[in-house]
């Protein structure tokens, strides 16, 4: 059963990432990969909330399995992030490449921490 | 991955509504297979990631080697894949959405990485969390850079040999 949920999560998460990326990329002219950054940060916030809710007993552990690993996992991506960073570095935008790495790591971790902390503050 | 070029139908602001509706319908028809390819690929990638997690589970307080390996492998594969489809082979238009965006995107994960760092710190393993936070981007970038470089080198050697 879990395998089917994982499959379903991946089949919903990946197209949502694709759509979000296209929508974000269509709204600016820069070469900076805002689309992937947005998807990764927003989804880390969601997963932070889910993880926090599971820890504080506000959500069942199965919720963590479904929303956490499957849906959120397929929604975010490390491969696209690293490839886009490589492209920026190769095309001479070393500053943007470095900015992408730092912004992605800091903002995603920050979003994860904030999501978990907010849920903790509400339920604890 | 950079988005595919915008559809030529997308700048139809001045067009009468009937035409733009037809354009929208055509864009939707063109996009449906891409969307399906991303979905199927994403399902396969997510199942592969879950299978890796079940096969090599990591417990609380331990270094999340499995997620690190998943992200490292996914980044190495995308390096090879992108060089192949840009330099060597013009694939069917659904190959990149299926494999690059779907399979590899669904296989690798940023959120699990972030949440494992958060969990480690929360459970009192701050040093472990910090190490994991620093290693993953380094491994990911080293993987994509080296795999792309090696693939290009191999292609050059093959082309220059008779």
């Amino acid at each position: 059963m879990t395998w089917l949920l994982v499959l379903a999560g991946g089949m919903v998460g990946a197209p949502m990432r694709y759509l979000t990326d296209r929508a974000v990329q269509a709204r600016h002219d820069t070469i900076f990969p805002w689309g992937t950054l947005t998807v990764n940060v927003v989804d880390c916030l969601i997963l932070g909330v889910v993880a926090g809710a599971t820890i504080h007993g506000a959500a069942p552990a199965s919720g963590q399995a479904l929303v956490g690993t499957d849906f959120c996992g397929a929604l975010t991506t490390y491969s696209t992030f690293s490839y886009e960073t490589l492209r920026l570095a190769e095309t001479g935008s070393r500053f943007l490449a470095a900015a992408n790495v730092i912004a992605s790591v800091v903002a995603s971790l920050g979003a994860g921490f904030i999501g978990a902390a907010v849920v903790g503050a509400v339920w604890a | 991955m950079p988005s595919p070029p915008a559809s030529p139908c997308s700048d139809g602001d001045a067009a009468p509504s009937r035409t733009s509706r037809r354009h929208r319908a055509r864009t939707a028809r063109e996009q449906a297979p891409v969307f399906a390819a991303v979905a199927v690929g994403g399902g396969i990638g997510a199942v592969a990631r879950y299978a890796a997690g079940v096969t090599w589970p990591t417990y609380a307080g331990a270094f999340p080697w499995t997620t690190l390996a998943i992200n490292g492998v996914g980044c190495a594969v995308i390096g090879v894949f992108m060089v192949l489809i840009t330099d060597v082979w013009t694939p069917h238009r659904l190959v990149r959405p299926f494999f690059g965006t779907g399979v590899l995107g669904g296989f690798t994960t940023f959120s699990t990485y972030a949440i494992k760092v958060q969990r480690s710190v929360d459970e009192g393993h701050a040093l472990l969390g910090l190490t994991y936070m620093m290693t993953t981007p380094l491994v990911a970038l080293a993987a994509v850079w080296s795999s792309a470089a090696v693939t290009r080198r191999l292609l050059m050697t093959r082309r220059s040999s008779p």
Side-chain angles (χ1 to χ4, degrees):
Chain A
M1 188 59 194
T2 315
W3 290 89
L4 280 179
L5 292 176
V6 174
L7 181 71
M11 293 191 75
V12 174
M16 275 188 66
R17 162 163 46 79
Y18 174 73
L19 276 188
T20 312
D21 180 53
R22 287 205 55 173
V24 173
Q25 292 302 97
R27 276 164 181 75
H28 65 84
D29 291 330
T30 58
I31 52 168
F32 192 79
W34 287 109
T36 308
L37 179 65
T38 308
V39 172
N40 282 345
V41 171
V42 169
D43 198 50
C44 286
L45 183 69
I46 298 173
L47 189 51
V49 169
V50 174
T54 319
I55 290 171
H56 294 285
S62 58
Q64 161 84 10
L66 173 63
V67 184
T69 48
D70 320 335
F71 179 73
C72 294
L75 192 51
T76 59
T77 171
Y78 229 105
S79 51
T80 304
F81 155 74
S82 63
Y83 180 72
E84 283 169 345
T85 307
L86 177 72
R87 288 296 301 153
L88 285 174
E90 282 180 346
T91 50
S93 309
R94 295 224 170 133
F95 173 76
L96 287 183
N100 189 34
V101 175
I102 293 167
S104 295
V105 170
V106 170
S108 299
L109 290 177
F113 273 90
I114 289 169
V118 166
V119 172
V122 170
W123 264 279
Chain B
M1 196 172 310
S3 302
S7 156
C9 305
S10 60
D11 51 355
D13 281 348
S17 63
R18 233 170 121 203
T19 320
S20 66
R21 203 175 299 142
R22 203 177 297 153
H23 272 166
R24 265 203 300 274
R26 204 171 76 191
T27 311
R29 261 203 312 279
E30 282 167 1
Q31 279 296 302
V34 177
F35 208 69
V38 172
V40 173
I44 294 171
V47 166
R49 172 163 42 78
Y50 184 71
V54 169
T55 315
W56 301 285
T58 45
Y59 301 98
F63 191 83
W65 287 108
T66 312
T67 313
L68 177 69
I70 285 170
N71 283 331
V73 168
C75 292
V77 174
I78 207 168
V80 177
F81 174 70
M82 291 308 292
V83 169
L84 286 180
I85 68 165
T86 41
D87 293 3
V88 190
W89 159 56
T90 310
H92 186 275
R93 71 182 183 100
L94 294 182
V95 168
R96 183 170 158 173
F98 168 73
F99 192 71
T101 314
V103 176
L104 292 177
F107 183 62
T108 60
T109 170
F110 213 107
S111 52
T112 310
Y113 154 75
I115 229 62
K116 288 209 160 145
V117 174
Q118 189 266 335
R119 276 276 172 88
S120 300
V121 174
D122 208 41
E123 289 161 0
H125 309 286
L127 188 67
L128 180 89
L130 191 70
T131 313
Y132 183 57
M133 181 190 108
M134 303 297 285
T135 357
T136 303
L138 288 177
V139 166
L141 293 170
V144 72
W145 178 79
S146 54
S147 71
V150 167
T151 311
R152 280 194 199 113
R153 180 65 59 84
L154 287 174
L155 290 171
M156 269 166 59
T157 323
R158 218 185 67 178
R159 271 178 202 155
S160 57
S161 64

